[in-house]
Amino acid sequence: MSSFSLSFSLSLQSLSALNAMSAVATAVTLSLPISHCRSSKFNTKKGVRGGFRVFAVFGEEGGLVNKKSYWGTLFDVEDPRSKAPQCKGKFIDVNQALEVARYDIQYLDWRARQDLLTIMLLHEKVVEVLNPLARDYKSIGTMKKELAELQEELAQAHRQVHISEARVGTALDKLAYMEALVNDRLLQDRNTTESNFTSASPSTSTQSLDTVKSKLPQKSLNVSGPVKPFHPRLKNFWYPVAFSADLKEDTMVPIDCFEESWVIFRGKDRKPGCVRNTCAHRACPLDLGTVNEGRIQCPYHGWEYSTDGKCEKMPSTRLLNVKIKSLPCFEQEGLIWIWPGNDPPTATIPSLEPPPGFTIHAEIVMELPVEHGLLLDNLLDLAHAPFTHTSTFAKGWSVPSLVKFLTPASGLQGYWDPYPIDMEFRPPCMVLSTIGISKPGKLEGQNTQQCSTHLHQLHVCLPSSTQKTRLLYRMSLDFAPILKHVPFIQYLWRYFADKVLNEDLRLVVGQQDRMINGANIWNLPVTYDKLGVRYRLWRDAVERGAKQLPFTKST
């Protein structure tokens, strides 16, 4: 690794010492690399005792005057964005790519210093509020309010530092990867040159080429048709199948899951149950019937079944010991979950609630004529938005020269660059995203933390069949709560959701037709395909029966 990467890894270590605020200056002095610059934003303060000290100097109530800081020079780093490498042309060589990666490291160094400086300045504000002299001029209520606001700002700054740490780790991984690519390319060029001027043995040449090829990354995945049946191991997960609000006491919800038909309804205890949507008597669909006193009644001869599948009533005949298949069914956080697999269900169900501060505004269910994996591929890809969604949410978006999805080395979540969008794939079929917005259809800032308002989305892609998906969509906002009470607003949300999905469907249906005929839909993955590729690798590992699934924490 380069000397710059090594020096910045030391700065990353200093970030882990943020919990001990009294030792911040010492940690920074020992760990952060000193950068050269021509101007200074901070002046030094003579006569400061110890390694770190802040002064609570107050002017008007609620404000701080400009301070001279002993540790200001440690953060006097020039913003590197003006020195970003300019790569002309459609393709760049490995050396240019390595330069871009090193610029990312330099930018993250600057960003991390700014985050640490923010925490120090907030600490100064806390000291100012607690200063005995300042207390004489402020009421207790004012102090409590200011302390609460400062605590929230400090927590936000800490969260930003943790995000910076993750981004630094990702950038370091990327730099090491780019250096490996450069080394492989140099080795390949050297072997080619030597083969032109020397008479190396065939076995030696073949061995060196095989070594180079083994180091180069895999450039494609094999996701081609005809579509295969679902693997049984893919069923051994909890799957959300319906929203709780759609399941009343006297209603039922028919669903298809893994090529089988089921019906969900509430029993006498109001708890949901899931039974096969086929009467044991004459195979009549049960969803054509009714729910009476917590039992689902077949419309053909009136046989009634409880939520565990047991037939509890047979009009006009002698009661027989009859039972239809049922699935483990559970209700949590406004969702109905089922376990369609043969293995025992896990003890916990993942949480899909929106983050704190968000209000749910819409819950929509759609039946889509595509295989659920293709739909997940589409939802996990944002680079297509400026080309596909030009008449909806991405109208007016610029087309950046480079789109990247940055994620930890072993994870299924991350953030988009240059879009202020965080995204996560949650096994087995959920996609969560948080989008920073300022105006409808507009983006502001380069990450979600820089945005004042946000849209949170949940997409559940239930595998109904090899060519059909049941989509559950939940939309939440952290602003304008009054919209939830506007009459008929749900029809407006439904209209927008249909319009966005129709822009995607015409493309994904075309993909599916070609996949069925044998085409590979993952021929040439690129950098912005990272999350979709990781989903495919995760799914492949599940179907192979891997003991430890990739990109997930070991238990």
Side-chain angles (χ1 to χ4, degrees):
M1 184 176 291
S2 65
S3 60
F4 180 82
S5 301
L6 182 59
S7 65
F8 192 74
S9 65
L10 295 176
S11 69
L12 180 60
Q13 295 175 4
S14 67
L15 293 178
S16 62
L18 291 177
N19 292 329
M21 291 301 300
S22 62
V24 166
T26 303
V28 171
T29 304
L30 293 176
S31 301
L32 286 174
I34 303 300
S35 300
H36 299 284
C37 60
R38 292 171 292 182
S39 62
S40 176
K41 296 179 182 178
F42 299 90
N43 297 321
T44 58
K45 174 73 177 179
K46 297 183 179 179
V48 178
R49 294 178 296 173
F52 172 67
R53 186 175 180 183
V54 295
F55 293 85
V57 182
F58 66 93
E60 296 181 359
E61 181 171 336
L64 287 172
V65 300
N66 293 330
K67 303 175 183 62
K68 296 180 179 179
S69 176
Y70 174 75
W71 35 263
T73 55
L74 295 174
F75 301 95
D76 190 9
V77 179
E78 186 176 359
D79 188 342
R81 285 178 289 188
S82 61
K83 299 180 179 180
Q86 302 296 325
C87 300
K88 298 181 178 180
K90 190 173 183 180
F91 301 97
I92 59 177
D93 59 29
V94 291
N95 291 309
Q96 290 175 322
L98 183 59
E99 185 64 24
V100 171
R102 287 179 175 167
Y103 159 73
D104 288 345
I105 294 292
Q106 186 179 4
Y107 171 74
L108 289 172
D109 173 49
W110 175 81
R111 181 74 263 172
R113 291 167 189 261
Q114 301 307 309
D115 295 339
L116 189 57
L117 179 59
T118 300
I119 289 180
M120 288 185 172
L121 293 178
L122 288 173
H123 184 253
E124 286 186 346
K125 291 184 180 180
V126 173
V127 173
E128 181 214 9
V129 174
L130 297 178
N131 188 292
L133 185 60
R135 282 205 304 269
D136 295 339
Y137 293 90
K138 297 180 180 180
S139 66
I140 296 178
T142 302
M143 290 178 61
K144 288 183 177 179
K145 180 180 178 181
E146 290 185 359
L147 282 174
E149 293 175 351
L150 288 172
Q151 287 176 346
E152 177 60 28
E153 292 182 23
L154 189 60
Q156 179 65 26
H158 275 287
R159 287 193 293 268
Q160 183 62 38
V161 168
H162 294 321
I163 293 173
S164 295
E165 288 180 348
R167 291 181 175 178
V168 167
T170 301
L172 290 174
D173 291 341
K174 182 172 64 175
L175 181 61
Y177 173 71
M178 296 305 299
E179 288 178 342
L181 282 182
V182 171
N183 293 334
D184 288 340
R185 179 60 60 85
L186 292 175
L187 177 61
Q188 187 178 20
D189 292 343
R190 185 176 62 186
N191 290 337
T192 302
T193 303
E194 291 177 356
S195 65
N196 292 333
F197 292 96
T198 64
S199 56
S201 63
S203 59
T204 303
S205 301
T206 302
Q207 183 178 1
S208 62
L209 288 176
D210 290 341
T211 303
V212 173
K213 290 180 180 179
S214 65
K215 292 182 179 180
L216 293 177
Q218 180 69 28
K219 300 300 291 182
S220 65
L221 295 171
N222 185 12
V223 183
S224 57
V227 181
K228 300 177 183 178
F230 292 110
H231 198 284
R233 294 192 185 96
L234 197 60
K235 300 180 181 180
N236 292 318
F237 294 91
W238 283 106
Y239 283 86
V241 295
F243 292 111
S244 298
D246 295 333
L247 191 63
K248 311 298 183 183
E249 289 187 22
D250 57 348
T251 61
M252 66 189 85
V253 176
I255 64 167
D256 290 333
C257 183
F258 290 108
E259 308 283 357
E260 294 183 311
S261 296
W262 306 88
V263 61
I264 302 170
F265 64 101
R266 295 189 181 275
K268 294 180 180 179
D269 56 1
R270 290 189 47 80
K271 293 182 179 180
C274 179
V275 300
R276 189 183 295 278
N277 192 11
T278 303
C279 181
H281 180 210
R282 301 281 293 276
C284 180
L286 293 176
D287 68 287
L288 299 179
T290 57
V291 177
N292 296 321
E293 298 180 351
R295 296 189 299 267
I296 188 169
Q297 184 185 73
C298 177
Y300 210 167
H301 297 91
W303 290 23
E304 297 184 6
Y305 301 89
S306 59
T307 53
D308 61 357
K310 184 179 180 180
C311 185
E312 296 184 344
K313 189 174 183 180
M314 294 180 183
S316 306
T317 188
R318 184 178 179 179
L319 185 64
L320 304 177
N321 185 18
V322 174
K323 188 174 184 179
I324 57 177
K325 185 177 180 180
S326 63
L327 295 177
C329 189
F330 199 83
E331 186 173 16
Q332 176 178 286
E333 299 174 350
L335 288 167
I336 309 297
W337 301 71
I338 64 171
W339 181 278
N342 295 322
D343 289 355
T346 57
T348 58
I349 295 178
S351 174
L352 297 181
E353 279 193 321
F358 282 79
T359 300
I360 297 174
H361 284 260
E363 292 181 335
I364 300 171
V365 180
M366 302 180 182
E367 301 290 342
L368 305 178
V370 293
E371 193 267 335
H372 87 291
L374 292 177
L375 187 59
L376 283 170
D377 290 339
N378 175 267
L379 293 172
L380 295 173
D381 170 27
L382 194 66
H384 73 280
F387 305 98
T388 304
H389 300 290
T390 53
S391 63
T392 54
F393 71 90
K395 185 177 182 179
W397 281 22
S398 60
V399 180
S401 58
L402 187 64
V403 177
K404 296 178 290 185
F405 184 81
L406 304 177
T407 181
S410 58
L412 293 169
Q413 62 182 359
Y415 62 97
W416 285 91
D417 182 13
Y419 305 120
I421 299 177
D422 298 334
M423 186 171 287
E424 175 185 1
F425 167 68
R426 186 79 59 82
C429 64
M430 289 83 78
V431 176
L432 297 94
S433 59
T434 301
I435 305 174
I437 56 177
S438 56
K439 298 178 181 178
K442 301 294 182 181
L443 296 173
E444 68 173 5
Q446 293 189 358
N447 58 63
T448 55
Q449 286 71 31
Q450 295 177 351
C451 302
S452 57
T453 55
H454 303 83
L455 164 71
H456 182 266
Q457 298 182 111
L458 165 68
H459 292 86
V460 178
C461 302
L462 181 68
S464 299
S465 69
T466 55
Q467 296 186 44
K468 190 174 73 171
T469 299
R470 178 178 173 87
L471 176 66
L472 276 62
Y473 173 72
R474 174 187 280 173
M475 187 269 287
S476 307
L477 303 173
D478 64 353
F479 63 97
I482 191 64
L483 290 177
K484 188 177 179 68
H485 306 288
V486 174
F488 309 111
I489 189 67
Q490 66 271 21
Y491 297 106
L492 180 62
W493 297 134
R494 177 76 189 217
Y495 169 77
F496 284 131
D498 285 338
K499 193 171 183 180
V500 172
L501 275 174
N502 285 333
E503 290 177 328
D504 285 318
L505 278 180
R506 65 189 183 90
L507 306 178
V508 180
V509 170
Q511 278 185 303
Q512 180 170 262
D513 292 340
R514 283 149 182 79
M515 185 183 72
I516 292 174
N517 292 326
N520 183 10
I521 62 170
W522 277 104
N523 279 312
L524 292 172
V526 293
T527 55
Y528 52 68
D529 293 323
K530 180 181 293 184
L531 193 55
V533 169
R534 290 190 175 185
Y535 156 67
R536 287 292 177 176
L537 295 176
W538 172 88
R539 181 171 170 180
D540 181 66
V542 171
E543 295 176 350
R544 286 188 289 103
K547 294 182 180 180
Q548 175 61 41
L549 298 179
F551 317 116
T552 57
K553 295 180 180 179
S554 59
T555 55

